[in-house]
Amino acid sequence: MNPKNLNYICEEGRWIAHDGNRVYAAYLMNGAALKPYISVLPAPSGRNLLADAPHDHIHHHGVWWGHGDVNGVTFYLELPSHRPGRILHREYANLDLKKDAVGFAQILDWNAPTGETLLQETRQIALLFNRNDGYTLNLESAYEAQTDIAFGTTKESAMPIIRMGDAFNGKAGGAILNSEGGRGEKETFGQPARWVDYSAPVPERYGRHKREGLACLDHPSNPHHPNRWFTREYGPLSPREGHLFTGAETLPKGDVLRLKHRVVVHKGGPEEADIEAAWQAYADE
């Protein structure tokens, strides 16, 4: 994928990477979802890889960030009965545009229902068109504790999480593979891995390549690397297990938790796309 005239739209509530005709990423914020998220991420065929607010989990939104228990507040669920917090855009820290890359950095406040800011996050998102068979999405976050923070033991984690579109999940013929050779939910859920890939067949009218998908890569600098992954056949994919496996953790006021991940969008399956080599290159950066 090699977009011509790469550009972006930056308006209140949205950031969109495009080339005038095709959208390569749509990032929405300060809306009804209570947290910012990437709603559009196209596969090489043009099909959206992501699901936004599916009927079974209305709080799942494409690529998104959150946690189910931050000092007792959920930044994961969204119904009023859950008394959820909000993750709000404060300001952009940087906007970047190059010939083959586009992205931004922003400051976000994780606010409890009382209005108290528990975490201030600096989030960086970058699209790099550096692959002949697809492209790369870099995700980095630095979470600074504004008060003493306790992350509770919960499987509800989105730091980050990806909700795959229906065409790419295991129930619809998609396949899950991790770096250790585990296949499907049974062999990848809760298992440590350097990367996890979801891929699915491509309908004939969508292109000549037979498969396509994405891989999420865990950087070696992340705590608990190689992390235990949250994988489900119906679509969720997260390298941060929500402290389901590690137990509760604390972050004292002023301390910073840093996490970085890479998403590789590709043609073919993970072997054909050589996701292991992509992870090694990422680890060496």
Side-chain angles (χ1 to χ4, degrees), residues 32 42 106 108 117 136 156 175 229 248 284:
Q106 67 175 156
L108 296 155
T117 300
T136 296
E156 295 174 343
W229 292 68
D284 291 342

Side-chain angles (χ1 to χ4, degrees), residues 3-4 7 12 20 24 32 61-62 92 95 118 182 197 204 245 261:
K4 298 180 180 179
N7 210 331
E12 183 178 356
Y24 290 94
H61 301 284
Y92 286 104
L95 293 165
L118 303 179
D197 184 276
E204 185 176 346
F245 304 112
H261 300 91

Side-chain angles (χ1 to χ4, degrees), residues 37-264:
Y37 65 97
I38 299 172
S39 64
V40 174
L41 202 64
S45 68
R47 298 181 298 166
N48 191 4
L49 287 157
L50 308 177
D52 183 5
H55 70 91
D56 58 349
H57 292 77
I58 197 171
H59 51 277
H60 287 191
H61 301 284
V63 182
W64 52 287
W65 295 254
H67 195 283
D69 185 353
V70 182
N71 285 7
V73 177
T74 180
F75 291 90
Y76 191 91
L77 302 174
E78 295 181 349
L79 294 178
S81 60
H82 301 132
R83 298 197 72 244
R86 283 181 173 266
I87 304 175
L88 298 175
H89 169 77
R90 175 186 287 267
E91 61 181 321
Y92 286 104
N94 183 50
L95 293 165
D96 192 28
L97 176 62
K98 299 177 182 177
K99 182 180 179 180
D100 59 353
V102 62
F104 63 91
Q106 67 175 156
I107 309 298
L108 296 155
D109 290 335
W110 290 47
N111 288 347
T114 61
E116 179 188 9
T117 300
L118 303 179
L119 295 167
Q120 188 168 93
E121 178 189 354
T122 301
R123 182 178 300 173
Q124 299 181 65
I125 295 176
L127 283 167
L128 293 82
F129 296 92
N130 54 359
R131 296 178 60 98
N132 293 328
D133 65 344
Y135 58 96
T136 296
L137 172 69
N138 284 342
L139 307 171
E140 297 188 26
S141 287
Y143 304 91
E144 182 178 350
Q146 303 301 294
T147 186
D148 290 339
I149 296 295
F151 293 106
T153 302
T154 173
K155 68 180 181 179
E156 295 174 343
S157 172
M159 297 176 78
I161 194 169
I162 302 168
R163 176 62 192 255
M164 301 298 297
D166 287 348
F168 296 90
N169 69 38
K171 289 188 174 182
I176 306 172
L177 177 72
N178 72 11
S179 59
E180 311 311 298
R183 295 182 179 274
E185 179 181 325
K186 289 184 178 180
E187 296 181 6
T188 60
F189 179 82
Q191 298 303 311
R194 300 183 301 281
W195 53 263
V196 170
D197 184 276
Y198 278 55
S199 66
V202 179
E204 185 176 346
R205 293 186 179 182
Y206 278 90
R208 296 181 179 177
H209 54 288
K210 295 182 179 181
R211 297 189 72 83
E212 63 185 1
L214 66 75
C216 184
L217 284 53
D218 187 43
H219 195 271
S221 65
N222 290 331
H224 310 299
H225 175 84
N227 271 273
R228 298 178 182 231
W229 292 68
F230 190 93
T231 56
R232 293 298 198 199
E233 293 286 355
Y234 68 87
L237 161 66
S238 178
R240 289 291 294 177
E241 70 291 327
H243 302 95
L244 174 63
F245 304 112
T246 62
E249 294 184 335
T250 60
L251 188 69
K253 181 178 180 179
D255 281 8
V256 178
L257 170 64
R258 301 182 187 277
L259 300 172
K260 55 192 300 185
H261 300 91
R262 174 169 289 176
V263 174
V264 177

